Amino acid sequence: MRDDALTYVVGEEKGLRELLLDSEVLPLLEGILAAGATSAAIVDRDDEELWIVRDPAELGNEVVRLPIRLEGEPVGTLRICGPDESAHPLVQMARMLGIAIDTLLRNNLKRVLTTEIHTAVVNTSFDELVEINRQLSESDTRYRQLAESLEQKVKERSAELKKALIHLLQQEKMAAVGQLAAGIAHEINNPLGFVTSNLHTLQKYVSRLITMVEYQKTLFGVRMDDEAKTQHADHKWQELKINSILTDIGDLLHESLNGAERVTRIVADLKGFSHVDEIGAVPVDINAELERTLSVLTHELGPGVTIVRDFQPLPPFSCEPAILGQVFLNGAHPGNRMGRRTDQDQHRRQRPGHPPRRQGKDLRTVFHHQAGG
Amino acid sequence: MIEYNEQQQRMVLKLVYYGPALSGKTTNLLQLHEQLIREGRGDLMVLDTTNDRTIYFDLLPFFLTATSGLKIKIKVYTVPGQVRHDATRKAVLQRADGVAFIADSQRAETANNVNSFASLEDNLALVGLNIDTLPLVIQFNKRDLTDIVPEEEIRKSWEPTGFPVIMASALKGCGVVETFASLAGLLYDRLDGRYRLLDEHGLAKDDFLRCLATVAGG
């Protein structure tokens, strides 16, 4: 209970002074004085005067004493004095006065008790409300804090998710880059393989041609008739299979040059695609950029995939070509890259001296890169 | 205890009639007022009511004087039974010296009796009174009605509490004085233990009970 609250204990004893007001009692006492009494008083149980009115000019004897009861218990006395000759009517009036005071007392007590219990209930209810309010505020604060921390937690979790997503994207990117690199390595490896193989064959051919030339040079110095020399030379010619060498040598050189050109083109495309030499926005031919992307992707395409180009002339567009290339690559990248890889070089001619195991090793390398990417 | 003034030789005590709504608390006081001798008691004061339902309390005061001159005043209160008036019940229970729990014997009221008794336990604890040492009697009222819990059943479930259980029909005036006398007896024992009513004030239990609970014309 608060310090400033009025506190009552239901049942606390009340005195006459607490229950009756001067303004209520004195008019009653004055009334009987006017009716002929010389004095009228209410005294407490120790005969102490609580209220008294008297006619200073008149003296009289006590004509009546009536007990005043509170909750049935005598708590005071109504004392009326007056001339003996008026005793009888004064006694009757005093009884009336007694009833009036008793009624007044009873009603005032009721009022006081009602007020007290009401106040006590209001105090208790107020205290309970204050307590409930305090608990509600506490719970409100708690939920507010929870809500705030929830927001914070959501933020943290979102940031974590974002980080994880970026990491994942980066990984995906790296995987794509790795795959691309592996594919391109494969793409370069193929022409390089048969160029090397052709060079080995050419080396053998040259060595046989040298043998032939040296044989003929030696044959010139030998004393022998021309026919015999021709016969020997022809025999050697046959033995060294110079005819087939002469037939093949042109093809081999042509093929090797093609292979070298293919590598040159791939490297040029790759360089162009990555735009390593360009910084910032430059005028870009979008068609050329698309073409470059497609050429980088060639190795990714499965069998039976046809690229249909329907380019329309476009004005140069100012942008960073590397980014544009990346966009095209992402857009054009075949969805299912893994497992659908087939050897792009099935059409490659098997050359003598070309080690057949190379192909398998290449594929293993590719898959190794894919798995590692 | 409301007040004890050793100098003035005055002791003011409080007894409270507690119980569920409409169990007959006010009727008990009306019957006491009706049946007991006028001497030594005041009139029943019924504070404002709504449709005859107590909303504040009723009060019946008793007073007696021991041979030593010790004046003892006992104020008997009822509380409003309706659940909503719990704050009033708490206020009235403050400093109580004894409680008569007026239960309703009707079967349908069993739960209300239990709830009200639980609220009595709670409120006593709240106002700092110990139910184990406080004089407390239980009255099962309305025995005159038909659909009521049998006495045997009531005794079986309530007597283990250790509180005196009294059957009553307040409306017919039965068991009312017995309940009050039983509570007054417990009150005397407790006061005697603490204030030596017999030894120091010459007030015997029989005199105490005679002053408080003598039936008029009996």
Side-chain angles (χ1 to χ4, degrees), chain B residues 18-19 41 48 58 65 80-81 86 103 109 129-130 136 143 147 159 174 179 194 207:
Chain B
Y18 201 101
R41 67 166 173 84
D48 291 345
D58 310 312
T65 309
D86 198 50
E109 296 299 315
L129 294 171
N130 185 356
L136 201 159
R143 299 308 298 168
D147 192 19
E159 275 184 347
C174 309
T179 305
R194 202 176 284 179
D207 296 331

Side-chain angles (χ1 to χ4, degrees), chain A residues 163 199 292 311 322 364:
Chain A
K163 218 167 132 185
L199 283 175
R292 229 196 292 273
F311 295 158
R364 274 201 303 280

Side-chain angles (χ1 to χ4, degrees), chain A residues 8-13 45 69-74 106 109-110 113-114 117-118 120-121 124-125 128, chain B residues 2-3 10 12 14 42-43 45-47 56-57 59 61 63 73 75 77 87-88 90-92 94-95:
Chain A
Y8 299 109
V9 173
V10 173
E12 248 174 5
E13 289 289 273
R45 85 179 108 202
R69 293 175 192 275
L70 181 58
E71 294 180 334
E73 201 182 10
R106 199 188 294 265
L109 180 64
K110 264 193 187 183
L113 289 179
T114 309
I117 187 86
H118 180 75
V121 168
T124 316
S125 307
E128 278 169 6
Chain B
I2 298 169
E3 185 188 323
R10 187 167 175 78
V12 185
K14 185 194 275 189
D43 284 332
M45 182 184 291
V46 177
L47 292 198
Y56 296 112
F57 55 75
L59 166 63
F63 37 88
K73 187 165 182 181
K75 298 185 175 189
Y77 288 87
T88 309
K90 243 177 276 178
V92 177
Q94 267 188 340
R95 301 203 204 172

Side-chain angles (χ1 to χ4, degrees), chain A residues 145-180:
Chain A
Q145 281 170 350
L146 266 177
E148 274 168 16
S149 71
L150 189 70
E151 207 167 297
Q152 183 61 28
K153 274 194 179 127
V154 167
K155 267 186 196 161
E156 281 171 15
R157 199 52 58 88
S158 300
E160 272 172 31
L161 278 173
K162 202 171 165 187
K163 218 167 132 185
L165 189 68
I166 288 170
H167 185 66
L168 215 63
L169 281 174
Q170 191 63 25
Q171 267 189 347
E172 182 107 333
K173 217 165 163 180
M174 292 309 286
V177 167
Q179 238 168 33
L180 203 63

